[in-house]
Amino acid sequence: MRNAGAVRAGVAAAACGLLLTTVAACGADDGGSGQDTSSGARSSADGARNDEARTVDLKRIPSVGDRYQKQIPAGARQVVAVYGDGKNSADSTIALFTKSGDTWKKQRSWSGHNGKKGWTTEHREGDKRSPVGVFTLSDAGGVLADPGSKLPYTQSAAFQAPHYWAKSHWNDFDYVIAIDYNRVKGTSPSDPTRPEGQSKGGSIWLHMDHGSGTSACVSQSKANMEYLLTTLDPKQHPVVVMGDKADLKA
């Protein structure tokens, strides 16, 4: 676990950037439709997916064509797959696959959200679309204490969503996992550095759901964030494969 005190000065220095840039990239929808706290209907649906998922063994990540299949690093043994419902949809299905030998097994799947305007293969700052692609997962953090993350975890109040956002969004960043899109791996998810430039956007995270689309991130329930944090292991070289279903099949 990273020493929160050691990073607090750097995080605090970037707090304005975090709130105006990082949080804006990840977070809010002006409306706010109530935070998803795993309602009975959603839990039942996700539970049914989990029961079915454990029976599936595969040679490839399903519904992912050669273009993105080839981008999965040879050493990756864990894949978070995010299947967007459509190019312009904010709804997704998320699944975790683990590899044993040359076989992938779907461990669990659940509902989530992506950018409120859908997906893009050319993400730009402020376009409200999530980037399509294959990205490593290296660092985690959040407002809440480390739940037992295997990824390096930075706890800081600087992750707190601003309270001028709708109340339903205030817990979005209680837990986050940085998606390694236009960021420096090995740093806190709150690090605002964007090696490819500001215009390409950044600060794209897996984080907690508020019940509707994000500004570019991928969101899911608190329980599923805790599952990912305690399951994803840097020794297994985890990656996320994400996009709308049509692009992923390309």
Side-chain angles (χ1 to χ4, degrees), residues 155-233:
Q155 181 189 10
S156 175
F159 284 100
Q160 178 64 58
H163 280 198
Y164 58 80
W165 285 6
K167 189 174 182 179
S168 58
H169 296 68
W170 289 1
N171 298 106
D172 281 10
F173 313 129
D174 281 359
Y175 293 129
V176 307
I177 298 171
I179 293 171
D180 294 334
Y181 170 90
N182 197 17
R183 70 176 298 268
V184 179
K185 292 193 285 186
T187 64
S188 167
S190 63
D191 183 346
T193 305
R194 296 182 177 181
E196 298 178 58
Q198 192 75 15
S199 65
K200 291 200 70 172
S203 301
I204 312 281
W205 296 343
L206 302 173
H207 67 66
M208 284 171 48
D209 197 40
H210 53 253
S212 61
T214 71
S215 289
C217 296
V218 173
S219 63
Q220 54 245 288
S221 71
K222 181 179 181 181
N224 287 317
M225 279 301 301
E226 289 175 335
Y227 170 71
L228 288 177
L229 284 165
T230 57
T231 303
L232 295 178
D233 186 344

Side-chain angles (χ1 to χ4, degrees), residues 38-57:
S38 297
S39 67
R42 181 175 291 252
S43 296
S44 296
D46 289 350
R49 289 191 186 95
N50 296 343
D51 291 341
E52 180 184 3
R54 295 189 181 97
T55 68
V56 179
D57 293 290

Side-chain angles (χ1 to χ4, degrees), residues 71-79 99 101 104 233-239:
Q71 293 181 31
I72 299 172
R77 315 299 287 181
Q78 292 178 319
V79 167
K99 193 173 189 180
W104 290 100
D233 186 344
K235 294 179 181 178
Q236 303 302 316
H237 307 288
V239 301

Side-chain angles (χ1 to χ4, degrees), residues 90-161:
D91 297 324
S92 296
T93 298
I94 304 166
L96 177 67
F97 296 87
T98 60
K99 193 173 189 180
S100 177
D102 61 354
T103 301
W104 290 100
K105 181 174 183 178
K106 186 193 285 187
Q107 300 292 340
R108 183 183 292 191
S109 64
W110 56 91
S111 302
H113 291 97
N114 50 265
K116 65 183 72 174
K117 291 188 177 180
W119 297 89
T120 179
T121 56
E122 296 291 338
H123 177 65
R124 308 297 291 178
E125 179 74 15
D127 65 10
K128 309 299 183 186
R129 292 179 179 271
S130 297
V132 178
V134 178
F135 309 101
T136 53
L137 299 170
S138 305
D139 303 282
V143 176
L144 299 180
D146 185 352
S149 175
K150 294 181 174 66
L151 298 171
Y153 189 95
T154 301
Q155 181 189 10
S156 175
F159 284 100
Q160 178 64 58

